[in-house]
Amino acid sequence: MLQHTERMAASLKQPRESSVNVAGEAAVLRVKLWQVLRERADPGQLRAIEDGRAAGVPWHHVAEGPCVTSKQGAYQKARRLKAEAVREPGERRTPEVAREHEERTAAEEWAARAQILVQERRFPPAQRIGRLLLEHRDGLVMDSWAAYWLGEIAETTDDRDDAAKRARFTAWVDSFVRAIHAHARETNQPSTTTDAVRRALALATELTYQECPEIPRQARRSRTGNRPPRERRRTRGGHRAK
């Protein structure tokens, strides 16, 4: 379309009965088309350079594309294109801007990965606590937000097959704890109505604010009613050791 408007520009005639400046409007259209081309050219060239580098093309060979004379020139050209793609309003189009943005992005990605690792370590107790809360949910006093987070816990308790999902589940337990306690403060009433769910919520609260709750396990018993072997005291010669 741009090539067509360039070719036809000189042959445009102004109709007598028209109040529209035909040649002028055609020129404005060409300006807009050139701007579209300019906006697409730099990102397109940057993607091509990055694809070439990822495929193993050396910088001195890349230099043939952007019409520079050295591999250093090709590298600097790529950095300026990168800066143009990531810079904020008011920032210059310089290699330093691109480097600052890449460092900031890398730092944010590292922080996100670190947060996932932290949350994933807390997942096993969070999963057990989530099941306790769901088992005794009838004794919870919740508003819509607490109910929403408990619903998320209910839907995903057994569907956490990667680190990011496990981290999100732990975060949902935290969000539930904060929501239900906030509701209790706002209404000046207890968050629970039974001892069982009160203990479960206490564990959830400890997980959220201390990260290391001791979750009691139900003592196992044999079918005969005797204590399991691990709980028996060692004996020597058939008598209890003193």
Side-chain angles (χ1 to χ4, degrees):
M1 184 181 292
L2 180 57
Q3 291 177 342
H4 176 73
T5 56
E6 290 283 343
R7 288 196 303 269
M8 300 299 295
S11 60
L12 289 174
K13 305 294 184 180
Q14 178 65 39
R16 294 181 179 178
E17 64 279 4
S18 176
S19 60
V20 177
N21 184 345
V22 174
E25 291 302 317
V28 171
L29 176 61
R30 286 159 51 205
V31 171
K32 292 179 180 179
L33 291 173
W34 278 114
Q35 182 61 31
V36 170
L37 186 61
R38 181 186 300 277
E39 291 174 357
R40 293 185 179 181
D42 286 352
Q45 190 174 49
L46 176 62
R47 285 194 301 271
I49 291 174
E50 291 176 340
D51 289 346
R53 290 291 296 159
V57 177
W59 279 114
H60 67 80
H61 190 25
V62 174
E64 300 175 9
C67 299
V68 291
T69 58
S70 66
K71 61 181 182 181
Q72 182 63 22
Y75 174 78
Q76 292 297 330
K77 173 72 173 181
R79 302 305 291 172
R80 285 192 294 272
L81 291 172
K82 185 71 173 180
E84 180 63 28
V86 301
R87 69 188 180 97
E88 300 291 339
E91 290 183 324
R92 295 183 301 166
R93 177 179 166 171
T94 63
E96 290 75 19
V97 168
R99 183 164 53 251
E100 290 171 3
H101 277 267
E102 288 176 348
E103 291 173 353
R104 185 159 60 248
T105 299
E108 291 171 353
E109 291 175 351
W110 182 91
R113 288 194 299 270
Q115 182 65 17
I116 287 176
L117 291 175
V118 170
Q119 294 289 62
E120 187 183 19
R121 285 197 295 269
R122 300 170 63 227
F123 172 73
Q127 187 181 44
R128 294 197 294 272
I129 289 170
R131 287 172 176 159
L132 284 174
L133 291 169
L134 293 170
E135 182 180 352
H136 303 290
R137 68 187 304 166
D138 290 342
L140 292 167
V141 180
M142 300 180 288
D143 63 356
S144 58
W145 271 115
Y148 169 80
W149 293 119
L150 190 64
E152 292 293 320
I153 292 169
E155 291 180 5
T156 58
T157 300
D158 300 315
D159 181 26
R160 304 288 90 186
D161 55 2
D162 63 50
K165 288 182 178 180
R166 290 189 287 271
R168 284 196 295 272
F169 180 89
T170 306
W172 289 333
V173 173
D174 293 342
S175 296
F176 167 78
V177 168
R178 295 188 178 96
I180 196 168
H181 284 306
H183 177 61
R185 287 193 300 270
E186 292 170 0
T187 59
N188 195 27
Q189 64 179 353
S191 301
T192 58
T193 60
T194 67
D195 289 340
V197 76
R198 189 173 299 116
R199 289 190 292 269
L201 182 58
L203 289 171
T205 303
E206 187 177 353
L207 174 73
T208 295
Y209 295 106
Q210 298 183 22
E211 300 187 5
C212 54
E214 294 184 4
I215 303 174
R217 296 182 180 274
Q218 186 176 1
R220 293 185 301 167
R221 288 187 173 272
S222 67
R223 293 182 180 179
T224 62
N226 296 327
R227 287 177 297 178
R230 74 168 74 181
E231 297 181 8
R232 298 175 185 163
R233 300 184 63 182
R234 293 183 180 178
T235 60
R236 181 181 300 169
H239 301 283
R240 284 192 175 185
K242 296 183 179 178

